Amino acid sequence: MVRVVVAVPAEISASFYTLPWADRCGDWRGGEPSGVDGGDHRRREMVVIELEPEPEVEETTCPSLPPEYVAAVDPRTVEEDEEAFEDALTDEQLREKARSQANDAKAEGNKHFGAGEYEEALSQYKIALQIASELESAEDICSACHSNRAVCFLKLGKYDETIKECSRALELNPSYVKALLRRGEAHEKLEHYDEAIADMKKIIELDPSNAQAKKSLFRLEPLAAEKREKMKEEMLAKLKDLGNSVLGRFGMSVDNFKAVKDPNTGSYSLSFEK
C-alpha cells in the first residue's frame, strides 16, 4: 500500500477524506497546529490518499510438447499437403480438358474427310496432334491422327506423305493394322512391291484372318517377281553397254561371251565364243 499526504485548502479538501486536529499541543493530523500566528488564518487540512498497488501477476508458461508431436501437427505441413492436392487436381483437370479439345479437333477432321474436304481434314488433324503431343499417355490420339492424315494424302495422290504419316503412326503403335494397310497401299502405288509385301505379311502376322491383307499379298507377289525380272534385265543391259565400251577397244563385244546357268546352283558361268 502507498500512503500520500498532501496539504490543501479546506474548501478544496471537503471532497476528500480528512483527519481533524488532535489538540492545542501541536500534535496534528490535519490542518494547521494550534498557537501559530500566521497571516493567513484559513483553515487547512491534511488529505491522505491511499493507493492500492496492482497485484503482481505471476507468469506462467505452457508445458512444451514433445518434438515428434509438434512435427505431427505442424499446420504448415497440413497446408502444404492441401496445396499439393489442389495443384494435382488442377493439373488433372487441365489434362482432361486438353484431351477433350484434341478429340474434338479429330472429330471435326473426320467430318471434313467424310465430306471429301481432305485439306480441311488435314488441318484439323494437325491441330489435334499439336494439342495431344503436349499430353502424357496420348499415343492413341496421336497415332490415329497420323493414320487419318495418311489416308487424306492417299486420297490426294501424295503417296510419299502417306508413307511418312503411316510410319509415324506405327512408331507410336507398332500393331496398328490400318496404318500398315494404308502404307502398303501407298507402296503399291509407287511400285514398291517388296515393301508393300512386307506390310501385308506383318498384318497377317498380327491378324491371320485379315482377308484384305491376304488378297493384297496374292496380287503383290507376282508384281514383285515381274519387277525384279525387269530390273535384272535393265541391269544386264547397262552392264552390256559398259562391257562393249571397254571390249570395243580390243575388237570384241560382250556378245562374244555367253552366260550359261548352272541348274543345280543357279549360278552363271561365262564362255568365250568368236
Side-chain angles (χ1 to χ4, degrees):
M1 179 182 293
V2 179
R3 182 180 180 86
V4 180
V5 180
V6 182
V8 296
E11 60 270 21
I12 297 177
S13 64
S15 61
F16 296 93
Y17 173 75
T18 60
L19 296 178
W21 289 100
D23 52 27
R24 299 175 62 89
C25 298
D27 183 14
W28 55 275
R29 295 177 183 169
E32 293 179 350
S34 59
V36 175
D37 188 9
D40 188 358
H41 297 286
R42 288 178 300 175
R43 182 168 173 262
R44 297 181 180 272
E45 295 179 341
M46 300 299 295
V47 179
V48 178
I49 301 174
E50 296 182 353
L51 301 178
E52 291 287 342
E54 295 182 359
E56 295 183 359
V57 179
E58 183 178 354
E59 296 184 357
T60 59
T61 58
C62 296
S64 59
L65 297 174
E68 62 273 12
Y69 180 79
V70 174
V73 297
D74 189 348
R76 291 175 299 178
T77 304
V78 176
E79 291 176 1
E80 290 173 358
D81 291 342
E82 291 177 352
E83 290 176 359
F85 175 78
E86 291 175 359
D87 291 342
L89 184 61
T90 302
D91 290 342
E92 181 64 26
Q93 290 175 340
L94 290 174
R95 283 193 293 270
E96 288 300 323
K97 182 178 179 180
R99 188 178 182 88
S100 177
Q101 290 174 340
N103 280 320
D104 290 343
K106 181 165 73 73
E108 191 67 23
N110 293 343
K111 291 179 182 179
H112 286 298
F113 180 84
E117 300 167 350
Y118 304 123
E119 294 291 351
E120 291 80 358
L122 284 169
S123 297
Q124 289 299 318
Y125 293 138
K126 184 177 181 180
I127 292 172
L129 282 169
Q130 289 172 341
I131 298 172
S133 62
E134 301 296 328
L135 299 173
E136 296 179 359
S137 303
E139 291 84 358
D140 55 335
I141 299 176
C142 292
S143 59
C145 288
H146 280 302
S147 182
N148 290 352
R149 281 174 60 83
V151 75
C152 288
F153 285 124
L154 191 64
K155 293 291 185 180
L156 293 170
K158 298 180 180 181
Y159 305 122
D160 288 324
E161 295 298 324
T162 299
I163 293 170
K164 289 178 183 178
E165 291 292 342
C166 287
S167 297
R168 289 168 183 163
L170 290 166
E171 287 175 2
L172 297 168
N173 183 5
S175 60
Y176 199 172
V177 172
K178 283 186 177 181
L180 287 167
L181 281 170
R182 290 163 183 170
R183 189 172 70 176
E185 186 175 349
H187 278 308
E188 183 178 355
K189 294 291 185 181
L190 295 173
E191 297 185 359
H192 301 164
Y193 300 122
D194 289 331
E195 291 84 348
I197 288 172
D199 284 339
M200 295 305 109
K201 287 183 176 180
K202 179 65 177 178
I203 293 171
I204 294 172
E205 179 184 334
L206 294 169
D207 181 13
S209 63
N210 193 296
Q212 185 177 353
K214 290 180 178 179
K215 183 178 179 180
S216 296
L217 190 61
F218 181 77
R219 182 183 68 255
L220 288 166
E221 286 181 337
L223 292 172
E226 182 181 348
K227 184 180 180 180
R228 284 192 293 269
E229 189 65 28
K230 184 179 179 180
M231 290 177 65
K232 183 174 69 174
E233 291 176 358
E234 290 176 353
M235 182 183 65
L236 289 174
K238 290 179 180 179
L239 289 173
K240 184 177 180 180
D241 292 339
L242 178 62
N244 287 333
S245 65
V246 175
L247 294 173
R249 301 173 184 177
F250 304 96
M252 296 184 295
S253 71
V254 293
D255 293 332
N256 298 122
F257 297 89
K258 184 178 180 180
V260 179
K261 184 177 181 180
D262 188 335
N264 296 323
T265 63
S267 61
Y268 288 86
S269 61
L270 295 175
S271 62
F272 179 76
E273 297 179 354
K274 292 184 179 180

